[in-house]
Amino acid sequence: MVLVSGIQCKSFSILRHLSLGRPTSSMKPSVFVTRPDVPDVGINLLKERCDVELWTKNIAPPRSELLKGVTGKSALFCNIADKIDKEVFDAAGPNLKVIATMSVGYEHIDLEEAKKRDIKVGYTPDVLTYAVAELTVAILLATSRRLFEAHREIFNGGWTSWSPSWMCGPSIKGKTVGIVGFGRIGQETARLLKGFGVRQFLYSGRKDHPEASDIGAFRLPIEELLPQCDFVICTLAMSPETKHYFNEKLFNLMKPSAIFVNTSRGGVVDQDALIKALETGQIRAAGLDVMTPEPIPPDHRLLSLPNCVVIPHIGSAGIESRNDMAEVTARNILTALENKPMPAELKL
Ligand SMILES: O=C(O)C(=O)CO
């Protein structure tokens, strides 16, 4: 609450309606941004209207710094590596109006708590769909054509000569691809893969997707889909229902030649079951942009498997998409602070 000429104003937007002109620096809402390397486009937008405080290091702020940074702020600009729970809301205090995450995933935010306190929550769907789909195709190819394994052979002396059967892997052309979680990213991945000559796309999920007919994809129950697929791509969103969705039973339904790719969340896979499937040859290989935990310790068992490609959660890391994500996040904050419709607000 601020006092202006004897009038008590609840928010920045009311001050603006009173035609008091551009707010002075002391009247500006304040934002805590949990990384210093957010693309300029987002930070510059925020700075036009807000006092912006950036966490100084390129790692997630330790808990104590997150709590300190958010104290008294009007808005929080965060990402998937920041756990936003009751303690953070309490530390922020009553000024907090909006939390905007620079991500499409939002399972790191306690939405119940936000709702209780009437705090808006913004996220960044759509703008990263292409980048994640592109990376999904890249991991699929890196896994099937054994790119990292082959690269290592150059340095470890394994490349002795051109050999007829050395470093061979299956092509995508003529194969059956199953997409589990046929939302925006799953569908875009299928569109990109069409160019590789896939014979059949299958998908599973709770409902039919009208877009599937353009793509030429058929919906099947997961138990019928898995035994038919040469490639299984997981783009399932994380939720309590999808935790450890890919378990031993599902890996056992896959072909021994199957390649499994996950670019959604590590938590949707029972990782021990995946490791077992890779070690025993239950499936041929896996390509993962996501895993548990993140970052994965360098001595983790998963990293010792030659048939597993592991990438450090860079699905959305296209330059264009990260710029767009920063911009949408900033606009989510600015519009929420002015009580205007946000570009991408989560319904609480
Ligand atoms: O946006 C997300 O949810 C990510 O995982 C990172 O882009």
Side-chain angles (χ1 to χ4, degrees), residues 11-70:
S11 73
F12 171 58
S13 67
I14 298 177
L15 291 177
R16 289 171 63 82
H17 283 115
L18 289 173
S19 305
L20 296 175
R22 279 187 89 71
T24 64
S25 141
S26 60
M27 291 154 66
K28 284 182 176 178
S30 53
V31 185
F32 182 58
V33 182
T34 63
R35 288 301 182 288
D37 65 333
V38 168
D40 287 348
V41 55
I43 298 302
N44 291 342
L45 265 173
L46 287 176
K47 282 186 174 164
E48 285 174 18
R49 311 243 194 99
C50 303
D51 286 329
V52 180
E53 184 183 325
L54 299 172
W55 165 240
T56 50
K57 300 196 183 114
N58 252 338
I59 50 164
R63 194 72 184 161
S64 58
E65 295 296 333
L66 175 61
L67 298 178
K68 198 157 82 185
V70 79

Side-chain angles (χ1 to χ4, degrees), residues 80 102-106 124 128 132 264-265 313 315-316 322 325:
I80 52 165
M102 189 175 145
S103 63
V104 66
Y106 45 81
T124 63
L128 48 64
V132 180
S264 63
R265 287 292 183 264
H313 202 150
S316 67
R322 286 287 166 88
M325 289 162 75

Side-chain angles (χ1 to χ4, degrees), residues 170-182:
S171 287
I172 302 171
K173 189 173 173 188
K175 298 292 167 37
T176 298
V177 174
I179 302 190
V180 182
F182 203 57

Side-chain angles (χ1 to χ4, degrees), residues 29-195:
S30 53
V31 185
F32 182 58
V33 182
T34 63
R35 288 301 182 288
D37 65 333
V38 168
D40 287 348
V41 55
I43 298 302
N44 291 342
L45 265 173
L46 287 176
K47 282 186 174 164
E48 285 174 18
R49 311 243 194 99
C50 303
D51 286 329
V52 180
E53 184 183 325
L54 299 172
W55 165 240
T56 50
K57 300 196 183 114
N58 252 338
I59 50 164
R63 194 72 184 161
S64 58
E65 295 296 333
L66 175 61
L67 298 178
K68 198 157 82 185
V70 79
T71 302
K73 297 294 188 297
S74 325
L76 175 63
F77 185 125
C78 62
N79 65 61
I80 52 165
D82 306 314
K83 189 168 173 44
I84 311 302
D85 56 10
K86 183 172 181 304
E87 195 182 19
V88 175
F89 287 100
D90 284 343
N95 279 351
L96 191 68
K97 302 282 179 300
V98 53
I99 291 178
T101 182
M102 189 175 145
S103 63
V104 66
Y106 45 81
E107 68 280 358
H108 54 294
I109 303 174
D110 185 337
L111 299 182
E112 283 302 314
E113 204 55 43
K115 187 175 178 179
K116 242 192 263 169
R117 298 170 190 237
D118 201 20
I119 292 168
K120 295 184 170 171
V121 180
Y123 69 137
T124 63
D126 302 318
V127 291
L128 48 64
T129 301
Y130 176 80
V132 180
E134 186 179 67
L135 197 275
T136 305
V137 174
I139 295 194
L140 192 151
L141 282 166
T143 309
S144 60
R145 299 300 305 273
R146 304 167 67 178
L147 297 193
F148 293 93
E149 211 184 331
H151 182 74
R152 281 193 299 270
E153 293 289 90
I154 294 173
F155 302 98
N156 65 21
W159 185 18
T160 52
S161 147
W162 187 93
S163 282
S165 303
W166 187 61
M167 285 294 138
C168 289
S171 287
I172 302 171
K173 189 173 173 188
K175 298 292 167 37
T176 298
V177 174
I179 302 190
V180 182
F182 203 57
R184 289 177 292 251
I185 293 171
Q187 290 170 24
E188 186 70 1
T189 304
R191 284 186 202 100
L192 294 182
L193 281 175
K194 260 179 128 67

